[in-house]
Amino acid sequence: MEFEPVIGLEIHIELNCATKLFCDCPNNPGDEANANTCPTCLWFPGAAPRLSEQALEKAALLCLGLGAELQPRSAFDQKVYYYPDLPKGFQLSQAHLPLSRGGGIEILDEDGEPRRFRIHHIHMEEDVAKLVHEMDGRLPVSLVDFNRAGAPLVEIVTEPDFRSAHQAMEFLKVLRTQVRYVGASECSMETGTMRVDANISIRPKGTDQMNTKVEVKNMNSIRHVGDAIAYEIERQSAAVGADEAVVLHTRLWDPDKRVTVSMRGKFEGPCVPDPSVPVIELSPEWIEGIRARLPEMPAVRAERLTREHGLSADEAGMLSTDPEVAGYFEALMGAGVAAKPGLHWLTTQLLPAVKERQQELGETPVTPLRFAELLQLLAKDSINANTAREVLGEMFESAAGAAEIVAARGYAQISDRAELERVVAEVVAAQPGAVADFRSGQGKALGFLIGQVMQASGGKANPKVVRELLVGLLG
Amino acid sequence: MEIELIYTNPEKGLASEAGSNGLTVAIQPNLSTAGWPTDAVHGAG
Amino acid sequence: MRFTALDDATVVQRLRSAGIRICGMTGMSEFGLGLTGSSAGRVVETKHADVELVLDLMGESRVAAVRVGACGFKPSYGLVSRYGVIGLIPSMEAVGLLARQPRSIRTVLGCVAGADERDFSMPEEPVPGFDEEWTVPAGTRVGVIREACSGLTPEQLTGFQQGIEELRAAGCAVSEVSLPDYPLFSLVHKIVGSVEAASSTGRYDSVRYGPRAPGAKNWNEMYLGSRGAMFGTLVKSYLFQGAYFQFENYAAYEDACRIRARLLGQTQRLMQEADYLVLPCPPRGGAEEKSALEAVYAAFAETLWANVTGQPVLALPLPGSAGAVGGIQLMGPRLSDARLLALGEMVLDRRKGDR
């Protein structure tokens, strides 16, 4: 029998808010242990939660960015379970009335066809504390760091629409881009600001039954999500093929052994409406206010870049994944740089140079205006490509403009025919062998001669003019 | 006085006086007061 | 829980800034639930304090008041900040006020009531004017709940009827109103209240504060040992009841929430027939309730209605021997707190005049 997988994703995203979800403590889980705590997030007697306005706004922005529909009424529930990472015996989460319902993301399927994957709902919840297990001599001790307790999270729950690891991975890539676009989170699986659980079951291909699912956790990259899903499909297919029952449980991905390992029986505690956090009522005006803050989303931007600058769909799509890169590109266009060389120089020269210097594109001293000046010099043949690369390197070190550097260093390209004719004549006289080779039809001798002229000119000769002169003289 | 109260306000000089508006209020331990105990019976626990 | 408060509750802060002296703390029952072990009322009875603040979870401030011949008041839900209140049933409890005179209650309530940015759950509503002079219009309609008298002794019933006569003599138009679902208030309180209490006490896990039971080999043992030593029998059975509905019978909890909404609607309809509803307030609670949960519910059968609906309610002592016959409760619509207290003042002023 042939099986097909049914996969749903639960994605936790840590919002990049200044404070925690229910108190004013800084939302910096990485600080010194328990530095960011207060009577509210430690749930001392008499503490009262207070929902962060910024968290609500960021969460709402994220929902709208994913095409979801914000609910006029949403509320917090208590997810009851007892564990030392939970300072009050329950986690505040929106189990019954989530912040938004619906939404979805379009991706390119394996066969290159666009396909939409649906989001069931998105809800807000608070993060839990971090447990650290240590040895005090021979005595094992468990320490709790409450810095993360109460950090603002959203959970995106998809429909079980995915039928392959590829689909899930593509979905996550696009989702990450969109959430970064709205500025709600860095969405790094490596540092844990994005955490993905996959619910996987299998069924005979072509049926629509829903079988017992297994939850897989602990993947710290999108690649691992794909690997874990692929492994789990194999594992379950083999089990069902051997007539073993699949039981509801949670498994952990082991990235070293590249297998999933059973963790525990899945315990679902009760979810009781919370009486302390008031119901969240969103007016249509408030929702429109948030919608107005929504940036142009990547798919729309890519389409516009294609239309306005004549980029290919691939180029525009690639450019739009990162809002900073796309913004930089558009600033170059605004400064009058032509699209194709602009894109080429941005992606092949500037981005690697910025990365090499461990800078952020938004903070590099080579601003779009300065970079545009350099590209204009190149376009006007005032300098050649090699010189441009060298000037770019200097622009990271000095505040001087490209033209200034060119002038100061005497980099200006020599395009004056009379001056170049003199150098060409000298080289031809000095290289009789190469001249003979060229005349006998050996094409690469021309390259050698051009190189000699460039060298003699200190790299400043315009190679196009040199080629013309050489061919004219010898041909 | 001590019979009625399990914890007496330690602020000096005011023990028998009413407040500036003439009223005296007693509270119970489940109303947080900085530095005061929160247990039902003082000294228990 | 061996916890020393770090911060003043908003109520305490407001008392202080109003120049009201806080003389100290009176003995309370565990978590303020019921009146076992509580000395609530004594400090007012002996005139060592003008007003005593007693958390009202199911009627504690009112029953304690009428036992000593004083007045007890539970404000509208959300009128007084719960920041710093170490509570048990967030959706039902309110800081109750207990005093010999409704006027003192009005003064103190005027100082502590109103929106608090530290209590996010408080609705933004205008505070009833506690400084204004309220007159009780002639012909004010009061509706006596027919179903609420079944649990009274003959002596208590006679006292209650005398109280109703007082209202009539004061110019109120008295009628009898009926709410057949009356027994469900107790049921709803039992389920919803205990479920909330189970959640509210989840924080007492001995991880961050409180006495930790020694010798535990793992987290679970520590948790069971510490909580086992920390809570008394009554609270334990109460939390057990709540955990049962959370984990084993959630459907009953959902039913109780629906019934609560229905009871709220029915109460609102009754409030169109009468300006105030009238209920007895028998002088129960204390020694006889011991630590049995059922005895606690029986002791507060007539008072927990207002906790379920969040309405303001004033318990006045009945004329006659202090405490023996108990009191009468006047329950008004939401935010009618100031005029409810004015009605109480009028009744007691007339009584004094008659003497």
Side-chain angles (χ1 to χ4, degrees), chain C residues 67-326:
Chain C
R67 286 198 315 203
V68 298
C71 310
F73 184 73
K74 184 193 84 69
S76 297
Y77 182 77
L79 183 62
V80 176
S81 168
R82 286 189 306 114
Y83 178 84
V85 171
I86 302 170
L88 206 55
I89 316 177
S91 81
M92 295 187 183
E93 68 206 6
V95 174
L97 301 92
L98 202 151
R100 295 180 297 280
Q101 296 299 330
R103 202 165 277 118
S104 319
I105 294 177
R106 187 167 68 146
T107 306
V108 172
L109 189 55
C111 296
V112 300
D116 173 17
E117 59 161 24
R118 296 195 294 180
D119 182 353
F120 189 65
S121 70
M122 292 174 77
E124 282 180 33
E125 314 172 292
V127 175
F130 292 105
D131 299 332
E132 294 166 39
E133 280 308 315
W134 293 85
T135 50
V136 182
T140 292
R141 299 168 305 161
V142 298
V144 181
I145 305 295
R146 184 185 303 156
E147 290 81 4
C149 296
S150 57
L152 303 186
T153 63
E155 189 197 11
Q156 288 166 350
L157 191 62
T158 312
F160 182 52
Q161 278 158 355
Q162 274 175 12
I164 293 168
E165 283 314 310
E166 260 189 337
L167 288 171
R168 207 191 302 275
C172 293
V174 179
S175 65
E176 195 178 70
V177 293
S178 172
L179 187 69
D181 279 346
Y182 175 80
L184 295 178
F185 282 110
S186 187
L187 185 78
V188 166
H189 197 293
K190 206 174 270 187
I191 299 175
V192 177
S194 64
V195 163
E196 287 187 18
S199 286
S200 300
T201 51
R203 70 186 66 181
Y204 304 111
D205 55 8
S206 76
V207 172
R208 288 142 297 133
Y209 49 85
R212 186 179 296 176
K217 288 186 195 64
N218 54 45
W219 148 247
N220 213 36
E221 278 185 20
M222 176 184 92
Y223 188 83
L224 292 172
S226 302
R227 285 171 66 90
M230 195 179 337
F231 298 137
T233 317
L234 178 72
V235 164
K236 269 183 197 155
S237 32
Y238 194 51
L239 302 186
F240 191 81
Q241 177 179 296
Y244 165 75
F245 288 111
Q246 279 185 339
F247 286 87
E248 301 292 333
N249 198 353
Y250 191 73
Y253 169 77
E254 287 184 304
D255 282 345
C257 290
R258 275 191 285 270
I259 296 171
R260 186 182 190 183
R262 198 174 79 199
L263 289 172
L264 261 146
Q266 289 177 354
T267 306
Q268 270 164 13
R269 275 194 294 282
L270 276 185
M271 296 307 301
Q272 286 163 8
E273 290 176 38
D275 299 312
Y276 302 100
L277 299 178
V278 179
L279 295 148
C281 190
R284 301 207 198 93
E288 83 277 13
E289 74 185 46
K290 300 285 184 221
S291 50
L293 214 42
E294 282 314 308
V296 176
Y297 285 113
F300 297 96
E302 293 85 2
T303 51
L304 47 75
W305 176 337
N307 297 90
V308 171
T309 59
Q311 288 167 276
V313 57
L314 173 66
L316 296 174
L318 287 166
S321 61
V325 285

Side-chain angles (χ1 to χ4, degrees), chain A residues 248-299:
Chain A
L248 185 71
H249 72 302
T250 298
R251 299 179 75 84
L252 292 184
W253 171 247
D254 182 333
D256 298 326
K257 297 189 182 136
R258 303 176 54 77
V259 295
T260 63
V261 192
S262 174
M263 182 172 90
R264 59 172 185 217
K266 197 164 161 56
F267 170 73
E268 282 286 347
C271 277
V272 190
D274 180 84
S276 295
V277 185
V279 169
I280 299 164
E281 307 212 33
L282 302 181
S283 68
E285 296 73 36
W286 190 90
I287 294 175
E288 283 321 303
I290 297 291
R291 201 185 299 282
R293 281 162 47 184
L294 208 57
E296 184 184 33
M297 295 307 283

Side-chain angles (χ1 to χ4, degrees), chain A residues 368-385:
Chain A
L369 275 180
R370 295 183 71 211
F371 193 46
E373 187 191 351
L374 176 69
L375 297 184
Q376 303 288 17
L377 292 176
L378 184 68
K380 282 188 295 196
D381 275 344
S382 304
I383 51 173
N384 60 40

Side-chain angles (χ1 to χ4, degrees), chain C residues 33-103:
Chain C
L33 177 73
L35 288 168
T36 310
S38 170
S39 65
R42 293 267 294 135
V43 74
V44 165
E45 184 187 21
T46 56
K47 303 192 179 175
H48 284 110
D50 301 296
V51 178
E52 184 183 9
L53 302 185
V54 175
L55 192 64
D56 194 308
L57 300 122
M58 50 205 303
E60 289 82 351
S61 71
R62 291 161 277 158
V63 172
V66 300
R67 286 198 315 203
V68 298
C71 310
F73 184 73
K74 184 193 84 69
S76 297
Y77 182 77
L79 183 62
V80 176
S81 168
R82 286 189 306 114
Y83 178 84
V85 171
I86 302 170
L88 206 55
I89 316 177
S91 81
M92 295 187 183
E93 68 206 6
V95 174
L97 301 92
L98 202 151
R100 295 180 297 280
Q101 296 299 330
R103 202 165 277 118

Side-chain angles (χ1 to χ4, degrees), chain B residues 1 5 9 14-27, chain C residues 15 19-24 43-44 47-53 98-100 104 107-108:
Chain B
M1 193 73 181
L5 299 177
N9 189 346
L14 290 163
S16 58
E17 296 164 23
S20 59
N21 78 347
L23 285 176
T24 298
V25 171
I27 60 174
Chain C
L15 286 176
I20 293 173
R21 164 155 176 81
I22 302 170
C23 59
V43 74
V44 165
K47 303 192 179 175
H48 284 110
D50 301 296
V51 178
E52 184 183 9
L53 302 185
L98 202 151
R100 295 180 297 280
S104 319
T107 306
V108 172

